[in-house]
Structure formats: structure tokens, C-alpha cells
């Protein structure tokens, strides 16, 4: 029997890396198993639009089974990976069962990091999952609702103060969307408070926002944020977060900000699976817990185990690790699939992954974005249109492209955000 | 001061009745307060489409504040009503505060009823809220996922057995959508199970489904359901529901159905507020807890308190209470507003609400629906097109009409249901 067994390829994670690996393996003479703990692929770059009521969760998600339904050699397993047994070439699932592999691709991604202050998480949620997004959406909208009911003006001020930690793309996009909501979407919706009086503060430790972009684009982003009424605090670090607000430090100066809403876009670290994999394979990890991989994205000493995407520490041509962006994951997923296919066919496999950097883009607000496409640096309306177009094209289903396009067009003309639902359990408010 | 105080109108509930009352009061010389525990109006007739992954929650909901933002005399209060003090003309909120009124409209709706067997609720969820819908969606999809992982064939059969209790519109629509999912949407999505092998059973105590329609339309609905592979069990009553299935009784015959998924569409009873209001005003209630109202929809002896929509027991011209459908609530909301406006203007107020019955419609499946429009009885494709058109037109925002139309058109051609997300916390499955 065993000589007839098809080679087994197991992929952990249905994000950009894992999904693209699976799709590239559709013609591989092997059985492909895609394992994820969720039943959908999530287009994370638009998660902040769910958190701010512009899009619905299903608009940026697509069922994994539907995405690979046409690939007869591929099955999806909904389950949680508990560990690795590389000596026996097996992945152990949470239910105790084992899935054997000949080649393994691990693409388990990142989660939020609070730099050792995990107690901050309850007060400053991060934005990684669909549930994070709908929870944050409920929290933002609830803050306005409570302010409307609150008689104490100090507390109203604290309810209408929103602190976003982290000046990377997520933080900038969240702060920009918050300003839109407060100044336009909610206009005329309340009778006691003026939503436009909301205070939005963006806190960044470095000396500029969007530090992975050129200084020129960073400066434009900062000016745009400030023109939208957002306070941008550079060179500022969070010292403490609690239920009533956040304490920040700029230089030697401590400042206390009373704020009922603090959002975390500051840091990420490797999925727990990174540590488990490293322990099982004696792989090295870097400080955020990413697994350090060889030039062909495999783990040194384990040529049949590949780590790709955000979970991988892959040294780029400049000696620095590649950034945790979708393009790196997509290209590495296709690369790892190509290595495995070449080996299966007895052909020489590529030995070195080369990242083709297509550029970066981030949106700031209505008709304002920055795009660093290397040859072109775009900003303003042109950058924004480029951002819209490229993000639309990257969505995985035609239906979602159509629905997102319509909602964007609608929001542009009406400034409405239709998905303003408080769906997490709402606690009736008792002013204190 | 007091002589300058504007008349206060308080509306409890932002469903069809309350929202239409509020909108009709836009030109009233009064302050209008709309109280709801949720921040959105929900288009309940399409809730089953959220539960079956065809639409997103935000597609059938619209923020209450946005709906009345343009009405300067109207404010929205997000809060839970705890009780009534009619002697002082006050509504008491959950936070202990009181809202005074000169006129009160109570439109608090219905909730699921298990006929005194509330312990069934945990095993047989009903479909009343957005959270019910997303929970049921997760439960349905999870059943297929677990079946795919389950080695024991008896358990696979139980996981792939779906019992829908109640042959009214909700039950018929749920059963029809389930059949579509099993036979078409999930086709090719699994490797071990065949989703089309799912068994769908519709249980109804009366001798026909859709008993509020003509016998001819009921018979058509039953034939259509059966042609879709659904077992329709008429004259059958639920005796017990537990974690492993349901026990039913047909005539004198008991039958045990092993089923991991049981959905409840069988009965409704009045919101808890009905009992509180009746106790405070000495109003009478009927068996499902509805408040029995006078011909002008007010509570006898309390001419300034109106009860409308599902919560009201209003005798129709045939002596039977009007049905709990959207049209009754909408028309009563407008009527109560007209009574209040006439009184405020010192004009003679209408004394008798007359229901204009526009007809009933229910969809069964793809291109199959029944519509009883009195002059016309429609079924099949024509009934289905009428159903689509009328439901689209009733959605409260143009954006939602557009989004729903697109998703319906897309689903029609592809048989896809894009919103197939398991978003409730997913428990990794351990086959037993």
C-alpha cells in the first residue's frame, strides 16, 4: 500500500501565505491539507474598515472551503494545531489527532504584542481578528452613546477622547477613520453632545508616522492627520494603560490622558505556534518570536519544513528581515509551493527566495493616502485612488470586490458608514 | 417655565411600529424620544438570510440615529426600559432614571416562546436578534465541519440532521435555505461527507404549512419543500428537545430524531415589558402576553398610552387579533402618531384603527415563493419575484436595497452564499 501513497503536503494557516501556497499546489501530484482554526480567509488590510463601520465582516472574508473547492487534491481541516513532531513528520491537532506530512508549510501569522504588558490588552484592544473588529466597532459607537447620556462634563470629555497607539499603517488608518466618523458620519445624530468635539490622539514612539515610507510621505501623512483635527504625538511612549486612560512619556515629560477608548496598533509578535515549532526543530527565533529561516524559506536542518509570511524572519537583500506585509506572504507562499513541486517532479528546486517589493500604501482619510511604489511616490487623491484600486483588486472574490466598491462609492458621496452596529453585548450605561 | 414646556412623546422600541410612529411625528409640535436597547432598526423578515449566510447583518439593519437624524424634534436614547409609572406619566429606565411623557407609545415586540419549556432554548435556538442569526449561522456551518471530521457514521448522520420546528414563514424559509446550502452552496466543499446527504425535517403541529395562507398555496409550499428533499411532518408536536435530538409525536406515535441541530420557529410571546405595562395600567393581556388594546390602540382607561405592533392584541374585523406582521405594526405606528398629532392640534382624533391587509408572502427556495395578495394569489417564479421586489423596496436605506439586490442576483447565478462565516467562538471538535 505505502508505495502508492501520494505525497502529503500540510499547510498551517489560511492567510495570504497559506492560501497562496495551497492555490499554487493545485497541480501538484500530492494530497494537500490546509489547516486553519477559522473557516475563512481574511483580508486583513481592510479590517480597520470593519472596526469603523464602513464594511461588513463578510465583505473582507471568504470561506476557505469555497476558495479551494475546485482543487480536487486539496482538503480543508478546521482545527487548532497543538504541536509538532518533526521526527515523525507529523502535526498534532488540539483534539489529539496527528496529520502526517512529507512537506510542511507553516504560515500561522502574528498576534498583538503589548511589549510584556499583557494587562493592557483589556483596556487597549488590538485589531487582528473579525471579532476584534466588531468589538472595537461596538466600543467606539458605545462611547458616543454613553457621552450622550452622561451629565458630568469631565466624563463626557473622557468618553469622547480616543487614543490610538502606534503610527504605522493600522494606527494611521484607524485615527483617520475615527476623525471621519466624529466629524461627518455622526453629524446631527446626537442632541446633547457634538460628536465633532471628539478628541483623537495618535501616539507614536518614533519621530514620524508611517516610518517605513519616505520622509516626504511621512510628513504629508502627519500634515493630513493634523488637518483632520487629530493630535499627532511623536517621540511619545506609552507608560501605562488602565480603565480610565493612558499615561504617556514624551522625552522626560509624563502626561496623563483621560480616555475611555484606547486602541492598540503598536506591535505584533509571532503566533504561539512559532515557539512550538522552534522548540521542536531547534530553529532560532528573533525577538518578536519569528522563526529564522534559510534562503529557501525552510528551517535550517529541516528542508521539508517551510515557514512563510509574518511568522518567518527572512533576511532581505539589505540584511534586515522582510516586513510583515501581505506581498511578502503571498510571494513566499508561491515560492515554497514551487520548491515542493520541483522536488516532487525530481527537478532542481529554487534555492533562494527573492522578494519583489511592489511598494507600500496606506490611506489616511477621504481622498488622502500615501503610496510608495518606488518609481512613483503618490499622495493625496492620486495616492488614494491607487490605494482603492489595488485593494479592490486584491480582494479574493469578485462579489466582494463589487460590494466593497459600491459601499466605498456610497460612503464617499454620503459620508455614511452603514455598518454602524453595536453587536457585542451592550451594557446599559449607568452614569456615575 | 412649565407652561413653555413642549409636549413629550416617548416611543419604546425602534422596530417597524416604533420607527414608523417616530417618522410620522416629525412635524408634531412636541419633543419625541425614541428608546431602544439596540442602536439599530432591524428588518426582521430577512433575518433568516443572515442565519443562512446569504446576507450580512448590516445589510438588514440601519442605525436608528441615522434614520431620525434629520428630525430636529426627535432624540434617540439607547437604554433598557425597566418599568412604568403611569400615575406620574413616567417611564423608568434600567439605570434608574425616569423619562416623563405626555403620550407614550409602547412597541416592544415579541420574543421566542417555548410553550413553558424554556429549557429547550439552549438546544433549539430561535431567530429574533442579529446575534441569534449569526449564532445559528455558526452552528449550521459547524455541524458540517464536525461531520467532516467525525469517524462514527451514526454521529455523522446526527450532525447532518437538521430539524426545523414550526411550519410558519420563518420555519419554511429556514428549511428551504438549509436545503439550498446542503445541496448547492456546499457542493464540492468537503472531501469525506456529501453535504447533499443532509436530512432536513420540518415539524408542524397543524395539518398544513403556512396555515395563514390559502389551502392551495399551503399545498404548493409543501410540494415545493418536498421536491427540495425536505421531510415535512404535519400534525406533529415536539415532546422533548435535548442535546442529542428531538422527540416528536404524530397522532399517538412517538418518534425520536437524533439531530445535533434543532432550530425553533414555532412560537412567540410578548416582550417582558408587556407584563410590566399591564401590571402598571391594569390592562388585560392574552395568552401570549399581548396587551389588549382599545379600537384606537390605546390601553382602556389610559388614553395617552398606546400599544402597537406585535405587543398589541388588537381585534380585527373578524374578531380575531391581528397577526404579528410588519404591516400591522407599520400601520398602527402611523395611526397612533396621527391620534397624538390630532390631539396636540386640538383637532378630533381618529377613534378606530382599521387594518388595511396588503397580503402575505413567504419564500420557499430558489425561484419559489407564495404570495397571497387577496386579489392575486401568486406562486412559483412570479410569487418569488414579487417577494424579492417587495422586500427590497421595504428595506429602509437605499444603500441596503442596492447591496441586498446585488447579493441576491449573485447568489441566484452562482448559488453561492458569501457570508458563510463562523464568528461565534468556535470550539475545536473532538470526535467522541
Amino acid at each position: 500500500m505505502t508505495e502508492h501513497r501520494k505525497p502529503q503536503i500540510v499547510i498551517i494557516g489560511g492567510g495570504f501565505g497559506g492560501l497562496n501556497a495551497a492555490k499554487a499546489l493545485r497541480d501538484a501530484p500530492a494530497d494537500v491539507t490546509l489547516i486553519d482554526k477559522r473557516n475563512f480567509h481574511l483580508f486583513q488590510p481592510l479590517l480597520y474598515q470593519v472596526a469603523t463601520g464602513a464594511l461588513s465582516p463578510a465583505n473582507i472574508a471568504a470561506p476557505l472551503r469555497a476558495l479551494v473547492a475546485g482543487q480536487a487534491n486539496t482538503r480543508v481541516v478546521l482545527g487548532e494545531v497543538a504541536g509538532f513532531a518533526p521526527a515523525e513528520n507529523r502535526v498534532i491537532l488540539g483534539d489529539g489527532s496527528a496529520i502526517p506530512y512529507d512537506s510542511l508549510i507553516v504560515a500561522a501569522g502574528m498576534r498583538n504584542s503589548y511589549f510584556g504588558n499583557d494587562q493592557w490588552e483589556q483596556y487597549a484592544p488590538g485589531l487582528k481578528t473579525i471579532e476584534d473588529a466588531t468589538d472595537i466597532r461596538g466600543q467606539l459607537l458605545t462611547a458616543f452613546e454613553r457621552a450622550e447620556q452622561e451629565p458630568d462634563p469631565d466624563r463626557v470629555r473622557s468618553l469622547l477622547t480616543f487614543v490610538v497607539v502606534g503610527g504605522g499603517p493600522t494606527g494611521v488608518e484607524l485615527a483617520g477613520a475615527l476623525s471621519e466618523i466624529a466629524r461627518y458620519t455622526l453629524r446631527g445624530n446626537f442632541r446633547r453632545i457634538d460628536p465633532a468635539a471628539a478628541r483623537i490622539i495618535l501616539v507614536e514612539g518614533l519621530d514620524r508616522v508611517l516610518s517605513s515610507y519616505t520622509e516626504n510621505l511621512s510628513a504629508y501623512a502627519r500634515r493630513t492627520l493634523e488637518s483632520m483635527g487629530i493630535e499627532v504625538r511623536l517621540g511619545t511612549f506609552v507608560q501605562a494603560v488602565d480603565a480610565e486612560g493612558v499615561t504617556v512619556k514624551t522625552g522626560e515629560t509624563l502626561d496623563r490622558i483621560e480616555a475611555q477608548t484606547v486602541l492598540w496598533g503598536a506591535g505584533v509578535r509571532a503566533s504561539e505556534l512559532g515557539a512550538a515549532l522552534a522548540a521542536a526543530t531547534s530553529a532560532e527565533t528573533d525577538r518578536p518570536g519569528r522563526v529564522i529561516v534559510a534562503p529557501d524559506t525552510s528551517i535550517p536542518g529541516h528542508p521539508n519544513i517551510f515557514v512563510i509570511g509574518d511568522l518567518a524572519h527572512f533576511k532581505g537583500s539589505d540584511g534586515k528581515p522582510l516586513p510583515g506585509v501581505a506581498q511578502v506572504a503571498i510571494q513566499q507562499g508561491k515560492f515554497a509551493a514551487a520548491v515542493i513541486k520541483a522536488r516532487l517532479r525530481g527537478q532542481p528546486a529554487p534555492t533562494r527566495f527573492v522578494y519583489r517589493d511592489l511598494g507600500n500604501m496606506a490611506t489616511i482619510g477621504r481622498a488622502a493616502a500615501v503610496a510608495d511604489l518606488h518609481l512613483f511616490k503618490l499622495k493625496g487623491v492620486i495616492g488614494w485612488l491607487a490605494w482603492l484600486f489595488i485593494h479592490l483588486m486584491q480582494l479574493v472574490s469578485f462579489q466582494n470586490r463589487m460590494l466593497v466598491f459600491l459601499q466605498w462609492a456610497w460612503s464617499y458621496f454620503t459620508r455614511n458608514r452603514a455598518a454602524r452596529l453595536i453587536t457585542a453585548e451592550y451594557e446599559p450605561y449607568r452614569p456615575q
Side-chain angles (χ1 to χ4, degrees), chain A:
Chain A
M1 278 297 280
T2 46
E3 61 267 36
H4 293 301
R5 198 187 68 112
K6 271 202 189 164
Q8 301 292 310
I9 306 172
V10 172
I11 302 169
I12 299 171
F16 287 111
L19 180 62
N20 277 280
K23 292 196 149 273
L25 289 165
R26 65 181 306 141
D27 57 351
D31 290 333
V32 179
T33 301
L34 177 59
I35 307 173
D36 201 301
K37 52 186 174 182
R38 305 310 298 265
N39 79 323
F40 50 84
H41 167 76
L42 178 65
F43 191 75
Q44 272 188 336
L46 290 180
L47 204 49
Y48 81 96
Q49 296 220 347
V50 173
T52 55
L55 294 176
S56 282
N59 298 149
I60 62 163
L64 282 173
R65 291 195 184 281
L67 294 174
V68 299
Q71 290 185 216
N73 70 344
T74 305
R75 70 172 179 137
V76 173
V77 171
L78 193 59
E80 199 135 18
V81 171
F84 300 90
E88 298 106 56
N89 284 342
R90 280 162 185 273
V91 169
I92 315 299
L93 295 191
D95 63 6
S97 66
I99 298 187
Y101 62 82
D102 297 298
S103 301
L104 174 65
I105 300 176
V106 184
M110 304 286 271
R111 58 199 160 120
N112 292 304
S113 167
Y114 291 82
F115 308 121
N117 297 287
D118 285 351
Q119 74 279 14
W120 295 353
E121 185 167 11
Q122 57 182 309
Y123 309 116
L127 188 57
K128 275 282 164 200
T129 68
I130 282 282
E131 288 78 10
D132 290 344
T134 48
D135 286 353
I136 287 176
R137 179 178 76 184
Q139 198 185 332
L140 299 178
L141 296 170
T142 300
F144 286 99
E145 293 293 342
R146 292 184 172 177
E148 175 83 350
Q149 291 177 38
E150 175 62 56
D152 173 1
D154 283 344
R155 229 171 139 76
V156 169
R157 212 167 298 126
S158 164
L159 282 161
L160 293 183
T161 301
F162 300 87
V163 177
V164 179
V165 182
T170 300
V172 166
E173 289 171 337
L174 273 176
L178 263 170
S179 160
E180 291 272 323
I181 290 175
R183 296 195 306 162
Y184 299 106
T185 311
L186 296 182
R187 183 151 55 185
N189 275 208
F190 293 89
R191 298 291 176 255
R192 292 183 184 169
I193 60 162
D194 175 13
R199 191 175 165 207
I200 300 157
I201 303 166
L202 181 65
V203 174
E204 165 60 47
L206 299 178
D207 63 352
R208 58 192 178 106
V209 297
L210 299 180
S211 56
S212 61
Y213 293 68
T214 65
E215 298 214 2
N216 182 19
L217 291 178
S218 284
Y220 167 78
R222 181 189 173 174
R223 279 198 313 274
T224 307
L225 290 166
E226 288 176 342
S227 76
M228 296 164 72
I230 297 161
E231 294 173 40
V232 181
R233 297 210 186 173
L234 302 175
T236 299
F237 296 88
V238 170
Q239 300 290 300
V241 189
D242 56 53
E244 298 303 321
V246 52
T247 305
V248 297
K249 193 173 181 183
T250 313
E252 289 308 306
T253 313
L254 281 175
D255 188 17
R256 170 75 187 172
I257 306 169
E258 301 293 324
Q260 294 295 304
T261 308
V262 182
L263 303 180
W264 193 260
V268 285
R269 62 181 155 158
S271 147
E272 296 91 334
L273 287 186
L277 181 62
T281 59
S282 310
E284 284 183 78
T285 54
D286 64 7
R287 240 168 64 113
R290 292 177 296 192
V291 178
I292 297 173
V293 295
D296 70 348
T297 75
S298 70
I299 295 181
H302 295 268
N304 66 334
I305 303 180
F306 301 83
V307 185
I308 61 170
D310 289 3
L311 186 61
H313 174 119
F314 184 95
K315 272 199 180 47
S317 52
D318 59 358
K320 286 194 290 190
L322 293 180
V325 297
Q327 273 303 322
V328 170
I330 292 168
Q331 293 178 31
Q332 287 181 337
K334 293 176 179 170
F335 177 87
V339 171
I340 294 169
K341 284 199 286 189
R343 288 181 190 162
L344 286 175
R345 291 168 180 155
Q347 296 163 348
T351 56
R352 177 171 290 274
F353 170 72
V354 179
Y355 175 47
R356 199 166 145 249
D357 184 358
L358 301 172
N360 281 313
M361 37 190 22
T363 189
I364 306 162
R366 186 183 168 78
V370 293
D372 181 350
L373 308 175
H374 303 307
L375 281 179
F376 309 94
K377 322 272 180 222
L378 306 175
K379 62 190 180 195
V381 180
I382 303 294
W384 185 68
L385 289 172
W387 182 93
L388 290 179
F389 179 76
I390 289 178
H391 280 78
L392 269 182
M393 289 304 109
Q394 285 182 336
L395 279 170
V396 292
S397 92
F398 180 73
Q399 183 182 11
N400 278 341
R401 283 201 282 274
M402 204 169 57
L403 292 174
V404 169
F405 174 75
L406 264 171
Q407 287 173 92
W408 283 352
W410 193 255
S411 299
Y412 182 79
F413 289 111
T414 64
R415 297 200 187 248
N416 192 17
R417 287 166 177 263
R420 296 206 313 275
L421 311 185
I422 303 176
T423 49
E425 64 272 36
Y426 174 73
E427 289 277 321
Y429 185 52
R430 286 171 177 72
Q432 289 164 336

